[in-house]
Amino acid sequence: MTAPTMKETINSPDQTGAHGAPSTPDSLESAILGTYKRAPIELVRGSGVHLYDAEGKSYLDFGSGIAVNSLGYDDPGLKAALHAASEGLIHTSNLYHTAPGERLAAALVARSFASKVFFCNSGAEANEGAFKFARRWARTLGEAKHEIIALRGSFHGGSPSAPSRRASRSSNAISRSSMPRSARIRSLR
Amino acid sequence: MIDHGFLRELRAVTKERNIALIFDEIQCGLGRTGTLFAYEQVGVEPDMITLAKPLAGGLPMGAVLMTEPIAAAMQYGDHGTTFGGGPFVASVALHVLDRLSDPALLEHVRATGTWLGHELNEIAHRTSRIRQVRGTGFIWGIDVMGTAAHVVSEAMAHGLLVLTAGEYTVRILPPLVATKEELARGLHILEEVL
């Protein structure tokens, strides 16, 4: 379900406007690669659905850090979970069993159609994985399927094999990746 | 908004031809449409869904959920990731998943989302500055006259953070815990800006 067309806000036109001097370094001073046109505010804290900048101005947040902060900011339950998690292991690698991942996978399986879960670190990586699993599955069926077909105007992450960001700019564009033919992507007509 | 009938036909065709059907629920999944997964509202089950964004409450985490036949095609060593599903992030995600599965929260998203759509359409009617309103639950796209970036910038100046989705669509994705009163305040700012 893709509703509405959800291309990430990257390389969007200037969002700074003429509303006061930036409180953060501009792109000429920042050591961060300029892949995002950042708004000229520095956010320092949040509470519920509100964010606050370095100058104390409050903002109602209708973006949730791009659909991430579903529980809002400074949520007591989430903070307690973070504190509790910090008392346990942080990382072991996937060479060993750890209980939290097993429990999370079981919970996701119990609440969905699925029977197995692969964990990773981002949406782009999840889609990359899904493309690979689909191709591997097709191979076990003895079929030479390899193409990934996406909806026109859709966005599925910034990785090289995802339907391209440029293609998603126009609703009529063919969504084709820059990958070799064996991994190409086309849009659904 | 994608047509449910189209998705049902797509499922039938992909099943018949052994094509894996993947639903990207990275943004629309985990409660944002008012059910834990968006596919629940369509009446079809895909072969895989992908999840990420809210899964670990702001910590980076993604997941692929798959059927048994897909899983059976993968062998040891076929795929990997050093950090994926580590104990710290998974512990936090367990808490988030419980919260986002809460029937009361999902009912809030459904009911308040219906109201939100109604209000956005009212704003469209009153301002004549909106071409189309699309969405469900707490995920909405508003096709505006002029550029979306201009609306984002003006809204920010007036204390409201909204997103774009392409050049002419303002995107609204409030925290799922936002109350009707909080949403109404944001909508008031949005209307003023428009």
Side-chain angles (χ1 to χ4, degrees):
Chain A
M1 187 169 175
T2 310
T5 302
M6 291 301 168
K7 188 167 76 69
E8 303 291 0
T9 306
I10 293 172
N11 297 328
S12 64
D14 189 359
Q15 298 192 354
T16 56
H19 309 292
S23 57
T24 47
D26 65 25
S27 57
L28 292 175
E29 294 171 46
S30 176
I32 300 172
L33 182 67
T35 55
Y36 279 84
K37 181 82 185 173
R38 293 169 201 268
I41 56 173
E42 181 191 353
L43 298 173
V44 292
R45 68 183 181 90
S47 175
V49 298
H50 291 92
L51 280 165
Y52 298 86
D53 70 17
E55 287 155 16
K57 182 176 173 179
S58 79
Y59 301 87
L60 257 173
D61 179 21
F62 278 20
S64 305
I66 317 183
V68 170
N69 300 317
S70 290
L71 301 175
Y73 299 92
D74 205 29
D75 177 80
L78 180 58
K79 283 207 295 188
L82 280 158
H83 285 298
S86 73
E87 297 295 326
L89 287 165
I90 304 295
H91 171 79
T92 61
S93 89
N94 285 308
L95 300 176
Y96 313 100
H97 292 283
T98 48
E102 293 288 350
R103 286 173 54 208
L104 179 63
L108 287 166
V109 164
R111 289 164 206 205
S112 73
F113 70 95
S115 61
K116 296 283 183 189
V117 179
F118 175 79
F119 289 122
C120 51
N121 310 288
S122 69
E125 197 186 350
N127 282 338
E128 287 280 297
F131 299 162
K132 184 171 180 177
F133 303 155
R135 290 186 177 122
R136 196 58 61 96
W137 172 67
R139 199 192 295 170
T140 64
L141 299 175
E143 301 186 31
K145 293 194 186 81
H146 55 269
E147 260 186 319
I148 304 298
I149 305 169
L151 290 169
R152 272 179 292 177
S154 62
F155 175 85
H156 301 288
S159 56
S161 72
S164 81
R165 191 170 269 139
R166 185 183 298 158
S168 65
R169 285 219 173 125
S170 159
S171 60
N172 291 316
I174 300 293
S175 185
R176 195 185 288 275
S177 83
S178 57
M179 295 291 278
R181 187 177 162 77
S182 65
R184 72 182 186 181
I185 289 158
R186 65 186 174 87
S187 73
L188 190 68
R189 293 208 162 270
Chain B
M1 292 288 290
I2 198 156
D3 180 71
H4 289 191
F6 170 78
L7 285 177
R8 283 191 285 270
E9 274 185 50
L10 190 61
R11 175 70 287 187
V13 168
T14 51
K15 209 153 219 156
E16 185 189 306
R17 300 188 187 186
N18 275 334
I19 296 167
L21 179 62
I22 306 167
F23 287 169
D24 180 336
E25 294 215 15
I26 289 164
Q27 188 161 198
C28 63
L30 296 171
R32 187 149 290 276
T33 66
T35 49
L36 183 60
F37 301 109
Y39 78 82
E40 295 170 38
Q41 298 180 35
V42 184
V44 301
E45 290 187 350
D47 299 296
M48 285 184 264
I49 61 172
T50 51
L51 301 174
K53 294 194 184 281
L55 182 54
L59 301 178
M61 185 178 220
V64 185
L65 278 58
M66 70 201 83
T67 59
E68 186 58 42
I70 302 278
M74 297 298 290
Q75 307 296 323
Y76 293 133
D78 277 352
H79 196 50
T81 178
T82 296
F83 295 113
F88 181 80
V89 74
S91 297
V92 176
L94 267 166
H95 172 80
V96 174
L97 181 63
D98 270 344
R99 295 278 299 280
L100 298 181
S101 303
D102 179 1
L105 178 75
L106 295 173
E107 174 53 32
H108 164 71
V109 173
R110 285 195 298 272
T112 312
T114 301
W115 169 84
L116 186 54
H118 177 261
E119 292 297 302
L120 286 169
N121 278 299
E122 289 290 305
I123 291 172
H125 182 70
R126 287 195 295 266
T127 62
S128 301
R129 299 293 301 163
I130 297 173
R131 295 172 201 274
Q132 198 192 3
V133 173
R134 293 170 286 147
T136 188
F138 275 34
I139 179 168
W140 290 88
I142 306 155
D143 298 338
V144 294
M145 313 283 189
T147 67
H150 184 65
V151 175
V152 168
S153 160
E154 287 295 315
M156 184 181 297
H158 291 85
L160 174 69
L161 302 182
V162 292
L163 307 170
T164 64
E167 234 175 304
Y168 304 106
T169 307
V170 174
R171 178 168 39 151
I172 293 180
L173 305 164
L176 304 189
V177 295
T179 64
K180 195 184 271 192
E181 292 69 32
E182 289 164 337
L183 294 170
R185 271 193 283 130
L187 291 176
H188 180 70
I189 296 171
L190 185 65
E191 181 163 2
E192 293 288 300
V193 165
L194 287 168

